[in-house]
Amino acid sequence: QTERVAQHRRIYWIGNPHVYVRDLQAPSVVMRSVTAGWLNAATNHATVNWWAGDNFGEDGMRANTIWVGGLHKWAAQAVQGDRSATVDLTGVPDGAQTVLVDVAGDGTGSGQAADTIYVDRTAPQATTPDAQPTVTPGTAAVTWQTADATSGVLQSQLEVNTASDGTLTGAWTPVGPAIGGGGAHSTALNLSTFRDGLHAIRVRATDHAGNVAVSPPSRVVVDTAPPTITLGPTPTAPVRAVAVEFTVADNLAAHWGLGATRIDANTAPDGSPNGAWMALRPAEVLSVGHHRFVLPLTGLSDGLHLIRVATTNGGPHAGLVGVDTFAVTVDQTSPTVTDVTFTQV
């Protein structure tokens, strides 16, 4: 049995279709590099290089941020691939600081990578040098100390100002060795290439980050010249006592004063210095200027004798001695009378 039934045409419609995508994986971040070495006061930035990516490409990434030492320093929309940014370091303290690159996911957690930069914007410390002249003319023994709390002291070196009046108006000249490391230091300096006088001296210290500090200056006396003695008139006729007249001076008498002055006679009767030197007057510290002493020549034989005036340096350089001499004829023998004939008048 067969039956035919007529029906209306059917039309099917699907409304508002959706595709739901589930992303469970956070973006990936790989740190390529950060600025190496110590960053000093002259370098207030660091360069950060990294790579970022996601399994959904840039659709799976949002904000890209950089933090340095816990401080927010940079932000941009995340881009897949290698990236580079220069970040300002204002406010970042000295020391080893963590650089954190963060890439936020789109509905997932963040991807992160970190590295370390080293910051030292603080100059080292250097004490005022203590410079003391030694017994050798033109030399000094100097002590000082240096320290640096972050990168450490690389080296320190002494500098002397060429001005010989104690001012800072001359050029600063490095002297002595550059001494590595911090702590207490000492060295001996040869300052004989500088003009005699009072010179400023200081310490220049450098840390491993390149920061430089100079200490407050002290002063050191450079003295390489002995006192000067200028003789006055000397006797031309034979004498039994000699008048020794002279003027004594020193270029640094204002700093050192004068040492002792001696007046001696040589016992050689031929005017040479080959005999023994005999003191005519005890050693005495005299003032700068003119002096005159009349001294008996007791103990000297008749003949030509050298008279010596010698003044030592008034500072630590006692080996600097100013000397001048003159010759005098000594006649200690009274005249004799023989073969006298008396005639009665």
Side-chain angles (χ1 to χ4, degrees):
Q1 184 176 353
T2 302
E3 180 181 5
R4 290 185 177 184
V5 178
Q7 294 186 8
H8 297 291
R9 182 182 296 175
R10 291 183 174 90
I11 299 176
Y12 296 91
W13 172 76
I14 300 175
N16 194 24
H18 287 76
V19 176
Y20 290 91
V21 178
R22 189 180 185 188
D23 186 1
L24 300 179
Q25 183 176 336
S28 298
V29 182
V30 177
M31 187 72 80
R32 299 293 195 197
S33 66
V34 295
T35 301
W38 285 98
L39 302 173
N40 61 24
T43 308
N44 198 41
H45 60 270
T47 300
V48 183
N49 299 295
W50 72 99
W51 176 91
D54 189 82
N55 57 336
F56 279 90
E58 294 178 6
D59 290 337
M61 300 185 292
R62 289 293 179 261
N64 193 167
T65 57
I66 298 177
W67 301 74
V68 180
L71 300 177
H72 181 257
K73 286 297 178 181
W74 184 87
Q77 173 61 43
V79 176
Q80 182 150 304
D82 285 311
R83 296 211 64 178
S84 179
T86 299
V87 297
D88 177 76
L89 299 179
T90 301
V92 176
D94 285 358
Q97 304 297 336
T98 299
V99 178
L100 179 67
V101 176
D102 181 282
V103 177
D106 185 6
T108 67
S110 296
Q112 294 182 338
D115 205 337
T116 303
I117 61 171
Y118 299 90
V119 181
D120 183 5
R121 298 191 191 89
T122 304
Q125 296 175 318
T127 62
T128 301
D130 179 22
Q132 298 297 328
T134 65
V135 295
T136 304
T139 64
V142 189
T143 59
W144 72 99
Q145 294 187 18
T146 58
D148 188 87
T150 307
S151 62
V153 177
L154 174 64
Q155 66 179 32
S156 58
Q157 187 169 25
L158 295 165
E159 296 179 334
V160 173
N161 198 282
T162 56
S164 59
D165 57 358
T167 66
L168 310 181
T169 56
W172 287 102
T173 303
V175 292
I179 298 179
H185 308 289
S186 63
T187 190
L189 294 181
N190 183 350
L191 303 176
S192 59
T193 57
F194 293 89
R195 292 176 56 188
D196 278 12
L198 186 66
H199 291 265
I201 182 170
R202 70 184 185 185
V203 178
R204 176 179 290 273
T206 306
D207 64 19
H208 285 278
N211 301 301
V212 177
V214 292
S215 73
S218 58
R219 301 295 186 276
V220 62
V221 175
V222 178
D223 189 2
T224 60
T228 59
I229 295 173
T230 305
L231 293 173
T234 58
T236 56
V239 294
R240 301 180 69 178
V242 63
V244 182
E245 188 172 350
F246 60 94
T247 299
V248 62
D250 189 271
N251 62 334
L252 294 178
H255 299 290
W256 300 132
L258 293 174
T261 297
R262 294 177 53 91
I263 303 176
D264 303 311
N266 197 281
T267 57
D270 58 358
S272 74
N274 297 329
W277 287 101
M278 182 181 72
L280 298 181
R281 188 174 186 277
E284 180 185 0
V285 176
L286 303 176
S287 61
V288 172
H290 180 264
H291 301 274
R292 185 177 187 275
F293 302 99
V294 178
L295 305 172
L297 298 176
T298 305
L300 291 179
S301 62
D302 288 357
L304 188 65
H305 292 269
L306 278 181
I307 306 298
R308 179 180 68 186
V309 181
T311 301
T312 61
N313 189 282
H317 311 316
L320 290 174
V321 183
V323 179
D324 207 350
T325 61
F326 65 95
V328 63
T329 301
V330 177
D331 184 2
Q332 304 280 20
T333 305
S334 299
T336 59
V337 179
T338 60
D339 299 327
V340 177
T341 301
F342 294 94
T343 303
Q344 185 175 359
V345 179

